[in-house]
Amino acid sequence: MDRLIVTHGLSSFCLGLVFPYTAIHLADRPGVGTGGVALFYGAAGIANLTVALLLTAGVLKLPRVTLGVLGTVLWFCGYLGLPFVGSHPATLAAGVAIGCGQGGFLAAIVPLVNSLVTAEERRKVFARRYAVLNATLAAGSLVAGALTLILPRSVIPYFFVANAVGILPLTIAILTAGRHARAAEEKAEETDEGSALPMGALARTVMPAALVQLAVFLFGFSQFEATAPLVSERLMDMGLFMVSLMLVVNVLVIVSLQGRITQLLENRPEIDGLRIAVGLWTVGYVVAGAMAFLPYGFRLSGLLVYAVLFALGECAYSCSFHPWLISLVPDRELTRANALANSMMGVGNFAGPSIGVALAVSGQAPVVWFGLALCCTTITVGTGLLARRRGATRPAEAAVQGPG
């Protein structure tokens, strides 16, 4: 398990190297330009969503280890080709390879990790994995930024080669863990009764988690990554330094407090952790919106408080969502369930920034922050209703099953 998390962290660090520069690199390439940038991201997003839906529907059936390895190999091929693309067809091919690779890998990694841990370890392991991925992604971005300050712009293509090579240790780790994962998968197939769930039954079972995933990426993660930098610079008169400062604060809070937050939530239902996460984001939006009316120092403080509260919410989310998703379905259906949740994540990441941009058209930062707070309040109420519904159904299930 440790090897899997460490190598995933290494690949995340290497992804951080290219994270800020992918669009810049493609726009500078002859024969690609800004149109190619839109083509690349659109192709990657659609390919990711297509793979997720094919897995969810059961059309694409692969063991989780095979799916994870295939995903990393496609990721490797796509990023290794990016430094050399010189036309829209080549850009399209790279985007499809990366999107398909990401869709397959993300669908496989959660079931794979779950097969290697006990139920008691689940929350801590997923929380630790989340903290490692955040820290390494941020570190990679900071290293890339430092290198571009001291080296010529021509260094950027080498970042893509490093990112491609950085996925290979994770491929090896998946293969190494494959023996244990296959044993757990075979045991689950022996103990689980019945055939695979029909698509409709699976969708009904997993839809609450899928909708929560869609909501938190629509109104949470995508807003921190896209809307917050835009609003802080253009509507709150902050410099570009604020974007980096908010990211650093966010990562420091996650790395230092993830373990403590996980301990505090350990004995509470996972849905409570999700409700707390979105509640913290709501408070962060309200603080940022209230401070937006005040002088510069208050606006800066409000954004930093928002970054801290958002990070605390991420800590609650990371130790709650995947354990909750895992609890909803038999192990044999976890890859399909996780693929459905990932498809909602992709939609949320794609559509979320447009919500923030639409609010920003008002030209008033408070409108953006309070509008997002209203959206998150709706999610908090919805997760509360889910919690009560699950609490009401469990006694009924126990009565049907009877004692013992």
Side-chain angles (χ1 to χ4, degrees):
M1 173 52 61
D2 288 340
R3 184 181 301 174
L4 198 62
I5 291 178
V6 168
T7 53
H8 199 175
L10 173 63
S11 71
S12 179
F13 174 85
C14 294
L15 178 61
L17 294 175
V18 305
F19 192 70
Y21 298 108
T22 302
I24 295 172
H25 166 74
L26 290 174
D28 286 347
R29 291 290 299 170
V32 180
T34 54
V37 175
L39 180 65
F40 171 78
Y41 282 108
I46 293 171
N48 189 333
L49 180 61
T50 300
V51 169
L53 294 177
L54 288 175
L55 288 168
T56 302
V59 176
L60 184 60
K61 298 179 180 179
L62 291 173
R64 58 193 61 164
V65 173
T66 304
L67 185 61
V69 170
L70 180 61
T72 58
V73 170
L74 287 171
W75 180 282
F76 169 82
C77 294
Y79 272 106
L80 191 64
L82 270 187
F84 312 106
V85 297
S87 65
H88 282 185
T91 305
L92 176 65
V96 169
I98 291 169
C100 288
Q102 187 180 45
F105 171 74
L106 289 178
I109 190 63
V110 169
L112 182 59
V113 170
N114 183 59
S115 69
L116 300 174
V117 300
T118 64
E120 291 75 19
E121 298 171 322
R122 190 178 290 154
R123 282 193 177 189
K124 292 181 180 178
V125 168
F126 277 104
R128 179 157 59 97
R129 170 178 168 267
Y130 188 85
V132 168
L133 295 184
N134 270 270
T136 51
L137 182 69
S141 297
L142 292 174
V143 168
L147 288 174
T148 54
L149 288 176
I150 60 176
L151 295 175
R153 193 184 185 94
S154 57
V155 73
I156 293 177
Y158 293 97
F159 294 161
F160 293 94
V161 176
N163 184 40
V165 173
I167 198 72
L168 296 180
L170 180 56
T171 307
I172 296 170
I174 292 173
L175 288 170
T176 303
R179 182 177 57 185
H180 303 287
R182 279 191 291 270
E185 199 167 1
E186 290 170 2
K187 183 178 179 182
E189 290 174 356
E190 292 174 1
T191 55
D192 286 341
E193 296 182 358
S195 57
L197 288 174
M199 179 60 187
L202 179 72
R204 286 191 299 272
T205 303
V206 183
M207 193 52 67
L211 290 176
V212 168
Q213 185 82 319
L214 173 63
V216 298
F217 276 87
L218 272 177
F219 305 118
F221 289 103
S222 66
Q223 305 305 328
F224 183 80
E225 294 170 2
T227 303
L230 176 70
V231 174
S232 65
E233 181 194 6
R234 297 194 178 182
L235 302 183
M236 298 179 73
D237 298 323
M238 297 289 158
L240 285 175
F241 79 94
M242 196 64 201
V243 178
S244 298
L245 183 58
M246 289 172 65
L247 176 62
V248 169
V249 169
N250 177 268
V251 171
L252 287 176
V253 171
I254 291 173
V255 172
S256 59
L257 294 179
Q258 178 70 78
R260 180 60 178 160
I261 298 296
T262 303
Q263 288 178 350
L264 291 173
L265 295 175
E266 195 167 10
N267 296 320
R268 303 191 64 163
E270 291 93 343
I271 196 74
D272 283 358
L274 295 171
R275 185 165 48 179
I276 290 169
V278 182
L280 287 167
W281 296 346
T282 302
V283 175
Y285 289 144
V286 170
V287 170
M291 293 296 186
F293 291 104
L294 302 175
Y296 179 88
F298 289 95
R299 296 198 300 273
L300 188 148
S301 299
L303 289 172
L304 292 181
V305 170
Y306 158 67
V308 170
L309 291 173
F310 191 86
L312 292 174
E314 286 187 77
C315 292
Y317 165 87
S318 66
C319 66
S320 301
F321 179 76
H322 284 110
W324 179 43
L325 176 66
I326 291 166
S327 72
L328 296 177
V329 294
D331 185 80
R332 69 173 184 272
E333 301 291 356
L334 186 51
T335 299
R336 295 172 66 199
N338 190 48
L340 178 59
N342 284 334
S343 71
M344 295 298 101
M345 177 182 69
V347 172
N349 268 331
F350 179 76
S354 62
I355 296 172
V357 170
L359 291 170
V361 169
S362 66
Q364 301 295 321
V367 171
V368 179
W369 296 121
F370 292 143
L372 294 175
L374 179 61
C375 294
C376 282
T377 299
T378 304
I379 303 171
T380 306
V381 172
T383 50
L385 292 174
L386 280 174
R388 285 196 290 273
R389 180 182 175 186
R390 286 183 63 80
T393 56
R394 283 175 177 170
E397 291 169 359
V400 171
Q401 293 172 356

